[in-house]
Amino acid sequence: MKLIIAIIRENQLDQVRESLIQAGISRITVGNVSNHGRRVSEEVYRGQKVIPNLVSNVRLEIAVNDSFVQTTCNAIMDAAQAHDGDMIGSGKIFITPLEECIRIRTGERGSDAI
């Protein structure tokens, strides 16, 4: 089992969600996050460094069985990728091992709970 965490632009959420549903992935968790990416704009205001503005994005968390990892990543990349050149800020996907999953309602564990 794996936990896939994707950080994408807010305006791409509907496209990514539809892409995941078409790929057979329907259980996702979505949260709003703020982050600071590769673009660094260090400013000095009244002799003090100013913290760069944070950008609002969306964080998706998707628990999948190993056989769905590539399908899930491809669905996210196809829908969230910037199709306007080398635009910075399309997002990131992180894949981590998922040690255990428990469905609270039934007590099922492991891949059956996903």
Side-chain angles (χ1 to χ4, degrees):
M1 298 179 300
K2 304 286 185 202
L3 179 62
I4 298 174
I5 301 169
I7 310 294
I8 61 170
R9 293 179 301 201
E10 288 180 314
N11 64 346
Q12 296 292 346
L13 178 59
D14 288 335
Q15 289 173 296
V16 170
R17 190 180 59 80
E18 289 297 323
S19 181
L20 287 166
I21 289 170
Q22 289 177 0
I25 311 297
S26 59
R27 297 177 181 137
I28 65 173
T29 301
V30 178
N32 292 317
V33 295
S34 297
N35 61 5
H36 177 69
R38 204 170 16 161
R39 284 192 230 180
V40 177
S41 58
E42 194 171 287
E43 298 177 19
V44 177
Y45 178 73
R46 293 187 178 181
Q48 302 228 346
K49 289 183 183 177
V50 177
I51 298 172
N53 292 334
L54 296 174
V55 177
S56 294
N57 282 318
V58 174
R59 176 182 169 135
L60 306 175
E61 294 184 3
I62 309 162
V64 297
N65 291 314
D66 291 335
S67 59
F68 281 92
V69 171
Q70 198 60 46
T71 302
T72 304
C73 291
N74 288 342
I76 294 168
M77 288 188 300
D78 290 346
Q81 208 168 42
H83 297 289
D84 48 0
D86 293 327
M87 183 178 162
I88 294 174
S90 293
K92 294 247 187 322
I93 298 174
F94 305 97
I95 304 168
T96 61
L98 183 59
E99 188 173 320
E100 183 70 270
C101 179
I102 303 169
R103 183 171 297 170
I104 295 172
R105 179 177 53 87
T106 63
E108 291 174 287
R109 291 178 172 263
S111 61
D112 292 336
I114 292 179

